[in-house]
Amino acid sequence: EPEAGKDDEDPEGKKGDTDAKFSTLNLAGELPEVRKMFQDHKLKLMYYCKLFLDSITATLNTMPFGIRWIAKQLVNHAREKFPEVSPGQIDILVGGFIFLRYLVPGIVTPEAHGLVTHVGTGARRNLVLIAKVLQNLANGCLFSKKEPFMLSMNSFISDHMAAIHEYFIMLCNVGDAGTYYKNRSPKRVAPQQIAR
């Protein structure tokens, strides 16, 4: 079960601001037209989050071996150092590495990774929201009142926790590097391909 956002603590005394925003959002949410618009946006965001998640999980075998091997080593070392580590903590470790360092940068700034040439402001905002949901899913963390507009995505996170757990298990299920590279035949590259 995912944990509520750890941000609920209030070390700087700003909880009043968050409560006021949450209260205003609730009042606005009582208007039928706002409720409908909010529901439409939520469903679209869930749809695209699921689309991204399905694409990520379906293409596991195309992830570079080195990335998967590093994730496996992180898990092995964590279990060695902390034998009592829980599966949820392992998921957070793997998710933090894979999503935060590998997948989320490609989602938020696809043009920097050669995936597209341009991303408009509206599209960037949507990509950031998708990345935020997927990162919380990878961290096993529900949204808190600090981001009241994201609270409705907690059901998506809860619904996909088992799937992301299985994904992380499969991701780390790779052999050792020596065997992997020994069994691969070297790629032959034509001289004209190098010149490109």
Side-chain angles (χ1 to χ4, degrees), residues 30-140:
E30 291 176 14
L31 300 170
E33 60 274 13
V34 172
R35 235 184 328 217
K36 168 128 179 49
M37 185 178 68
F38 181 77
Q39 182 65 16
D40 291 346
H41 286 256
K42 177 184 117 175
L43 292 174
K44 283 181 186 172
L45 181 57
M46 283 184 169
Y47 170 80
Y48 285 108
C49 286
K50 179 80 167 102
L51 200 64
F52 271 78
L53 183 60
D54 288 348
S55 179
I56 289 166
T57 57
T59 58
L60 174 62
N61 290 330
T62 65
M63 182 177 287
F65 172 82
I67 298 288
R68 294 179 68 184
W69 186 83
I70 291 170
K72 178 181 178 177
Q73 297 312 307
L74 285 170
V75 170
N76 289 344
H77 289 299
R79 287 187 174 137
E80 202 174 282
K81 182 99 171 141
F82 307 102
E84 70 287 347
V85 69
S86 72
Q89 291 168 320
I90 292 293
D91 287 352
I92 292 169
L93 177 66
V94 174
F97 170 62
I98 293 297
F99 277 81
L100 187 63
R101 303 289 177 220
Y102 182 68
L103 296 171
V104 165
I107 293 170
V108 174
T109 55
E111 71 283 7
H113 302 279
L115 301 171
V116 296
T117 56
H118 173 75
V119 176
T121 307
R124 174 91 61 220
R125 170 92 174 125
N126 292 332
L127 292 172
V128 167
L129 292 175
I130 290 165
K132 193 180 281 252
V133 172
L134 294 178
Q135 187 65 59
N136 271 36
L137 173 62
N139 291 341

